[in-house]
Amino acid sequence: MSEFRIHHDVNELLSLLHVRGGDGAEGYIDLLQKHRTPYITTTVSAHSAKVKLAEFSKTPEDFLRKYEELKSKNVRNLDPLVYLLSKLCEDKETLQFLQQNAKERSESSANTTSTTTTSYSLPQTSTKMSMQELDELRKKLGNVTASSNAPLPAEVTRKMLRDKHNKKNPTQPNPVFPNWVYDRPALIGDFITSPTPQGEPAVPVGTLPLGTQEQALVEDLLFVLIGVDGRDITAQPVLGRQNRSFIVDPTLDMSVKELVNRILPVASYYSTITRFIEEKSSFEYGQVNHALTAAMRTLMKEYLILVTQLEHLQRQGLLSLQKLWFYIQPTMRTMEILSSIASSVDKGECMGGSTLSLLHDRTFNYTGDSQAQELCLYLTKAASVPYFEILEKWIYRGIIKDPYSEFMVEEHELQKEKIQEDYNDKYWDQRYTIVQHRIPSFLQKMADKILSTGKYLNVVRECGRDVTCPDAKEVLYTLKERAYVEQIEKAYNYASKVLLDFLMEEKELVSRLRSIKHYFLMDKGDFFVHFMDLTEEEMKKPVDDIVPPRLEALLELALRMSTANTDPFKDDLKIDLMPHDVITQLLRVLAIETKQEKAIINADPPDVALSGLEAFSFDYIVKWPLSLIINRKALTRYQMLFRHMFYCKHVERLLCNVWISNKDFRQYSLHSAKWFAAAFALRQRMLNFVQNIQYYMMFEVMEPTWHIMENNLKMASNIDDVLCHHTSFLDNCLKDCMLTNPELLRIFSKLMSVCVMFTNCMQRFTQSMRLERLSMEQGTMDEPSAQSEQADEPEKKRLTTKFLADHADSLQTDASFEATISKFDSNFSMLLLDLLDKLSIYSTNDCEHSMISIIYRLDFNGFYTERLERMAIERSQKAAA
């Protein structure tokens, strides 16, 4: 068990038990990791644990009866569970806590029930119930319970199985035996119970001489041993899955009766085996059970041959009761084992892999009894043949042909085209899945590799290529598990190599990923500058007013006129206008399975329409089988990273435009105004912040993580490794770019909003200044004296500049521009300090060491250090208080 699985299980257990305080989960996890061992429950430890629990139980008989019932059904992990419970019984403190917790939970559930339901009370009676009435009531309740637990009739079970199969495979209905097979009980070979005795009343056998009694009983026993009632020995009707019992004439001599009772269990075994063979040989119970019944039928033929030989001896007068007992004893053990297996398969309702698990466990349990083990080995080998045929087709060709739902791998109908349409579609995980109860116990360790082997080959087959493993050999059942491991390992290695080579070489997976990196991770700088220049005016429009084909045409133009033109997959890049801005999208994703999910999903849409820039994103066309790796979930992650960086690039362009505007007006005396210097400094701080964030994301997060993924892909041995490395790359990028932390995301969003509002404010001022300049120039052009212009051009320029500067100063004083700039400055500084403080906390507490480099970049000269230290001291004082 991995460390992460231990963390998950411990936390879940503590939440279920409502444990609070103490050392918390970490204390228990440390204890588990120190004391866990690769211990496997053995037969001896399971037996001692069972005895210990029986002694601890208030009703040991009921406990043992239930244990044997579950054991007969071959319930998985029963012995490890019993061992765990026995260990819990030894720990008094844990036991006391569990009892207290159970009491509290029952009380809380009772209170909940009493508040939500109407309470009913039994009518009071004036007289007490007598002991006889109590016994009758107990018997009735027992009968009702027995009838409710009784198995369904065979015909009902067959119909249910047939309907289940036909629903799953409507084009391939199950073959069905004709009704007369079931309507004629004489064909079964088991006892036919008649309601009334036939023929004349017989003389009691006990009144006959001893020799005559013995001969009569030998004849009766030979009939009973082949499922036919005798004159003095008759079979009782069977209810459900009970064993057959017999009635022997009570007048029989005691010595003869004793020998008869020793032989009768063989007849009971025969009846159980015959009923099992007739029922489970139906097509509805699957190929494994059918093969098992065929093997049993072969063994039963040998038994019937023995009975026929005994009849021959009896007709010659050479068979006494003692000789019959002598001849039947060697067969008795075989019949007992066959009957036991038949009962266990029937009670456990086993099919397919579960039947093989039961047979395998029986084979191992008979270690030391060579005859019994050889018998079980024969049955298991015969029953496993159809299962292994399905297994061979799966691991050697990637095909499942499982008409009766017996194989451990189950196929689900999913369309591979939806992998590019549906975000939640999990084709790779859900198309083929493991069904735990169908896994034979001897293949349990290899189940995951068996699943992966077939999946790999199936993907290649879906692409129209026929593949067959060159090392294909017939899989045969054996007690040496190493034989399975070697064959499955060879098939797995071949399937892994075939699919990996197919994706890497023929489908050029790495080149595809590089192409996606060029666009979604903004790898091609000249392309994006050209594209943003071309689409600047179009992006300013509301998203409803944008014509997508026009954007597509501009994208095509930018691709052809930049270095992206050399990319062979550039035509797969498309435009996508999203319904939400990137922050809303990220917050909706992060709120999944949290308390805020409903509130965010049901929130009213914003009144302000999205601009084209806020809704803009790229999309990418990926075809099968590359869509297994670059699926919709992966593309959505790429889109979130792209939109985040694209918006940062947009804010940087806005701030650079403000810088250009400031350069235009530096020729005037505006720089003498206080607000101008403050605005220039604030714009520089904002630009420094945005550029450093972009540099951090591109060169300290994405590039190193990308190179790690590329190196891992070169060493990957199967497609699951490729999926894992690719998903890990995207998750690490999202996490280190602060896109998986709602708190950091909100602060960053506000910082970007402040920057955009500041640039809008400065642009409005720039436009007003240009208007004033134009009006001033227009006034000077209307003067009539052209000679004065020519005479004193420098003086006119000086006066114009002075007028413009004085006018601008008075304009901004009236509009309180200085206060506006100051407010922008304080908001930006406060949010930036908040971001740096949160980054410091997360980098320290959550070991997110990569984020600390943002602090070093933004606080490179210690400008914010003192204030951050002060905030840390205040926070520690609050925590101490």
Side-chain angles (χ1 to χ4, degrees):
M1 185 184 290
S2 68
E3 184 179 349
F4 297 105
R5 181 65 184 272
I6 292 175
H7 275 74
H8 174 268
D9 290 347
V10 168
N11 281 299
E12 191 167 351
L13 184 60
L14 291 178
S15 66
L16 287 171
L17 295 175
H18 305 294
V19 176
R20 300 288 183 271
D23 295 333
E26 293 301 325
Y28 296 106
I29 291 165
D30 290 341
L31 282 172
L32 275 173
Q33 289 179 335
K34 287 176 184 176
H35 294 97
R36 63 175 179 160
T37 58
Y39 179 81
I40 300 173
T41 309
T42 61
T43 307
V44 176
S45 62
H47 178 73
S48 61
K50 179 183 72 172
V51 173
K52 193 179 295 181
L53 273 180
E55 293 173 353
F56 182 81
S57 174
K58 294 180 180 179
T59 54
E61 295 86 359
D62 294 340
F63 167 76
L64 292 172
R65 192 182 304 113
K66 189 66 178 177
Y67 176 85
E68 294 301 330
E69 179 188 342
L70 295 174
K71 199 70 177 173
S72 67
K73 291 182 179 180
N74 199 44
V75 174
R76 298 275 181 98
N77 298 321
L78 177 62
D79 288 339
L81 176 63
V82 170
Y83 183 79
L84 173 64
L85 293 175
S86 70
K87 287 294 181 184
L88 288 175
C89 293
E90 294 176 0
D91 191 340
K92 293 183 180 179
E93 185 179 351
T94 306
L95 199 61
Q96 186 178 1
F97 179 81
L98 289 171
Q99 289 171 345
Q100 181 65 26
N101 181 261
K103 184 179 179 182
E104 291 173 0
R105 289 167 70 91
S106 63
E107 288 175 357
S108 62
S109 62
N111 293 334
T112 306
T113 307
S114 63
T115 56
T116 56
T117 58
T118 308
S119 60
Y120 296 93
S121 59
L122 290 171
Q124 295 183 352
T125 55
S126 57
T127 58
K128 292 184 177 180
M129 189 177 288
S130 65
M131 291 300 295
Q132 185 178 359
E133 291 173 335
L134 189 64
D135 289 338
E136 289 178 0
L137 178 61
R138 190 179 289 120
K139 287 179 182 178
K140 288 179 180 179
L141 289 173
N143 291 335
V144 170
T145 306
S147 62
S148 64
N149 293 331
L152 294 172
E155 58 271 14
V156 177
T157 306
R158 284 195 298 270
K159 187 177 184 305
M160 288 172 60
L161 291 170
R162 194 160 52 245
D163 293 343
K164 180 181 176 182
H165 170 82
N166 292 339
K167 186 178 180 181
K168 186 178 178 182
N169 301 303
T171 58
Q172 297 177 352
N174 253 333
V176 183
F177 282 131
N179 289 332
W180 57 263
V181 173
Y182 307 108
D183 294 341
R184 298 184 180 183
L187 293 175
I188 296 175
D190 194 19
F191 296 92
I192 302 173
T193 54
S194 54
T196 54
Q198 298 177 358
E200 297 179 1
V203 178
V205 70
T207 60
L208 300 175
L210 191 59
T212 308
Q213 289 186 35
E214 185 174 351
Q215 289 300 321
L217 264 297
V218 166
E219 185 178 356
D220 269 13
L221 281 171
L222 290 174
F223 278 117
V224 170
L225 288 174
I226 58 172
V228 180
D229 279 331
R231 189 185 66 173
D232 303 308
I233 304 174
T234 55
Q236 290 283 82
V238 178
L239 298 175
R241 297 189 175 101
Q242 294 177 355
N243 292 326
R244 178 80 68 181
S245 59
F246 298 90
I247 298 176
V248 182
D249 193 319
T251 63
L252 198 63
D253 185 80
M254 287 301 296
S255 59
V256 176
K257 193 173 185 180
E258 178 64 25
L259 271 175
V260 168
N261 287 332
R262 289 183 186 180
I263 297 171
L264 280 179
V266 180
S268 178
Y269 300 149
Y270 171 82
S271 175
T272 302
I273 297 165
T274 304
R275 280 182 283 125
F276 175 80
I277 289 173
E278 293 301 324
E279 181 183 351
K280 300 300 180 184
S281 58
S282 297
F283 295 106
E284 292 84 357
Y285 290 98
Q287 297 177 352
V288 172
N289 283 342
H290 188 82
L292 176 62
T293 56
M296 284 187 171
R297 206 184 292 271
T298 302
L299 295 172
M300 292 302 290
K301 286 179 182 177
E302 296 179 5
Y303 167 79
L304 292 173
I305 290 171
L306 171 65
V307 176
T308 305
Q309 291 172 346
L310 292 174
E311 287 178 352
H312 183 66
L313 291 175
Q314 190 262 340
R315 283 196 293 270
Q316 293 178 347
L318 301 176
L319 187 65
S320 64
L321 205 56
Q322 288 285 353
K323 284 185 178 180
L324 177 59
W325 170 237
F326 173 77
Y327 287 127
I328 209 72
Q329 277 189 79
T331 311
M332 197 168 190
R333 178 63 174 155
T334 302
M335 297 295 285
E336 182 185 3
I337 293 170
L338 292 177
S339 173
S340 173
I341 291 172
S343 298
S344 297
V345 172
D346 199 27
K347 287 178 182 177
E349 298 178 354
C350 300
M351 284 181 62
S354 55
T355 299
L356 293 180
S357 293
L358 188 145
L359 292 170
H360 175 75
D361 293 343
R362 288 295 176 91
T363 307
F364 255 101
N365 291 340
Y366 285 127
T367 301
D369 186 345
S370 57
Q371 184 182 356
Q373 190 175 45
E374 188 177 345
L375 174 63
C376 289
L377 189 61
Y378 166 76
L379 292 175
T380 313
K381 280 183 177 179
S384 63
V385 169
Y387 192 91
F388 282 148
E389 286 177 356
I390 304 172
L391 176 65
E392 288 167 14
K393 285 185 179 177
W394 175 245
I395 64 174
Y396 294 149
R397 300 188 61 196
I399 298 173
I400 282 190
K401 193 173 182 182
D402 182 21
Y404 302 101
S405 301
E406 299 174 284
F407 191 50
M408 68 173 79
V409 179
E410 187 172 35
E411 182 178 9
H412 305 277
E413 289 298 326
L414 291 174
Q415 297 178 5
K416 60 178 180 289
E417 290 78 13
K418 284 191 175 181
I419 203 166
Q420 266 294 298
E421 301 170 7
D422 188 1
Y423 177 82
N424 291 315
D425 192 87
K426 298 178 181 176
Y427 181 90
W428 184 250
D429 295 328
Q430 294 184 355
R431 174 72 191 276
Y432 297 103
T433 56
I434 288 281
V435 183
Q436 285 296 329
H437 68 272
R438 296 186 199 164
I439 305 175
S441 53
F442 51 89
L443 293 177
Q444 183 74 49
K445 295 177 183 177
M446 302 298 294
D448 291 333
K449 282 200 172 180
I450 290 170
L451 173 66
S452 299
T453 303
K455 280 166 68 174
Y456 296 162
L457 294 175
N458 186 264
V459 171
V460 181
R461 289 184 62 83
E462 291 276 353
C463 298
R465 291 180 54 179
D466 190 16
V467 286
T468 304
C469 179
D471 299 323
K473 293 180 182 178
E474 186 180 5
V475 183
L476 297 173
Y477 175 78
T478 173
L479 292 176
K480 298 177 182 178
E481 290 188 13
R482 188 64 198 167
Y484 309 118
V485 174
E486 288 177 356
Q487 285 180 263
I488 293 168
E489 284 281 0
K490 287 180 182 178
Y492 174 77
N493 292 334
Y494 170 77
S496 302
K497 187 176 185 304
V498 164
L499 180 57
L500 201 60
D501 292 347
F502 182 68
L503 289 177
M504 291 292 190
E505 296 174 10
E506 189 169 331
K507 297 298 179 180
E508 301 178 284
L509 174 62
V510 176
S511 299
R512 282 279 181 180
L513 290 174
R514 286 200 191 104
S515 174
I516 289 173
K517 178 174 178 276
H518 292 333
Y519 309 116
F520 286 88
L521 304 186
M522 302 184 72
D523 198 5
K524 296 284 186 182
D526 64 322
F527 160 71
F528 279 98
V529 171
H530 196 48
F531 177 73
M532 294 180 86
D533 288 340
L534 288 172
T535 59
E536 187 172 7
E537 293 302 320
E538 193 75 16
M539 292 287 195
K540 292 177 182 178
K541 298 178 183 178
V543 67
D544 295 332
D545 297 340
I546 292 177
V547 182
R550 177 170 172 75
L551 272 183
E552 293 278 0
L554 294 173
L555 171 65
E556 183 77 14
L557 183 63
L559 286 169
R560 303 296 177 193
M561 297 180 65
S562 65
T563 54
N565 192 37
T566 59
D567 180 15
F569 309 114
K570 60 182 179 295
D571 294 333
D572 292 331
L573 187 66
K574 300 298 175 186
I575 298 291
D576 191 10
L577 296 175
M578 310 291 282
H580 308 288
D581 62 277
V582 63
I583 303 298
T584 305
Q585 182 189 14
L586 284 163
L587 290 175
R588 286 169 72 96
V589 172
L590 293 174
I592 291 173
E593 295 183 357
T594 65
K595 295 179 181 178
Q596 294 82 18
E597 180 177 12
K598 186 177 286 187
I600 290 178
I601 291 175
N602 296 332
D604 296 329
D607 297 332
V608 182
L610 285 178
S611 67
L613 186 112
E614 291 171 321
F616 176 78
S617 179
F618 282 141
D619 201 1
Y620 201 84
I621 298 172
V622 188
K623 295 181 180 178
W624 177 266
L626 290 175
S627 51
L628 284 173
I629 310 297
I630 313 168
N631 50 33
R632 175 48 55 189
K633 189 173 286 188
L635 280 173
T636 303
R637 289 186 174 102
Y638 277 117
Q639 284 181 333
M640 289 190 283
L641 286 167
F642 167 75
R643 297 181 74 191
H644 184 58
M645 292 169 55
F646 189 75
Y647 193 72
C648 290
K649 181 64 72 175
H650 165 67
V651 174
E652 183 191 9
R653 284 171 63 90
L654 292 178
L655 289 168
C656 289
N657 289 338
V658 172
W659 179 80
I660 294 170
S661 302
N662 289 346
K663 292 286 285 183
D664 287 343
F665 288 98
R666 285 189 71 179
Q667 58 182 312
Y668 307 113
S669 58
L670 291 175
H671 59 276
S672 62
K674 292 181 180 178
W675 62 264
F676 184 81
F680 191 90
L682 177 59
R683 192 263 316 148
Q684 189 60 33
R685 286 174 58 208
M686 288 180 173
L687 188 59
N688 178 65
F689 165 72
V690 174
Q691 287 177 339
N692 275 290
I693 286 289
Q694 286 186 88
Y695 182 91
Y696 161 76
M697 290 192 295
M698 295 189 71
F699 296 102
E700 294 189 19
V701 174
M702 293 178 185
E703 279 300 324
T705 315
W706 172 265
H707 285 297
I708 290 170
M709 182 189 73
E710 268 200 331
N711 292 332
N712 288 336
L713 290 182
K714 290 175 184 176
M715 296 184 290
S717 59
N718 56 64
I719 198 67
D720 284 301
D721 288 347
V722 174
L723 273 168
C724 180
H725 294 321
H726 185 233
T727 305
S728 176
F729 161 73
L730 290 171
D731 288 344
N732 289 335
C733 287
L734 286 168
K735 181 187 68 176
D736 291 339
C737 290
M738 303 180 290
L739 299 183
T740 58
N741 189 312
E743 195 172 8
L744 292 176
L745 194 60
R746 288 190 177 94
I747 298 171
F748 187 83
S749 171
K750 290 176 183 177
L751 275 167
M752 291 289 105
S753 300
V754 169
C755 293
V756 172
M757 287 189 287
F758 171 76
T759 58
N760 291 338
C761 181
M762 292 300 292
Q763 291 294 343
R764 283 197 300 271
F765 164 71
T766 302
Q767 290 173 2
S768 66
M769 290 300 297
R770 282 177 180 159
L771 289 173
E772 292 295 337
R773 182 180 178 184
L774 287 172
S775 63
M776 188 65 189
E777 289 176 352
Q778 186 67 33
T780 57
M781 288 176 64
D782 291 341
E783 292 181 4
S785 176
Q787 292 179 354
S788 60
E789 289 180 3
Q790 294 173 0
D792 200 3
E793 186 69 29
E795 181 65 15
K796 187 183 75 172
K797 186 174 181 180
R798 187 184 65 78
L799 292 172
T800 304
T801 303
K802 185 177 182 302
F803 174 82
L804 185 60
D806 295 341
H807 186 70
D809 281 341
S810 62
L811 174 67
Q812 296 311 319
T813 301
D814 295 338
S816 303
F817 201 87
E818 187 174 352
T820 304
I821 296 298
S822 176
K823 189 174 181 181
F824 274 123
D825 196 337
S826 63
N827 285 342
F828 180 77
S829 299
M830 181 186 67
L831 289 169
L832 184 55
L833 275 170
D834 195 15
L835 178 67
L836 293 174
D837 185 46
K838 292 293 188 294
L839 285 172
S840 177
I841 294 171
Y842 287 121
S843 62
T844 306
N845 297 349
D846 297 346
C847 300
E848 302 294 348
H849 301 304
S850 59
M851 289 185 181
I852 204 159
S853 60
I854 305 178
I855 302 175
Y856 294 145
R857 287 198 157 275
L858 298 177
D859 191 26
F860 64 94
N861 59 355
F863 182 77
Y864 301 105
T865 303
E866 184 180 348
R867 297 176 67 178
L868 285 172
E869 289 175 353
R870 197 183 310 129
M871 291 173 71
I873 292 169
E874 291 174 0
R875 188 167 55 249
S876 62
Q877 287 175 349
K878 285 181 182 178

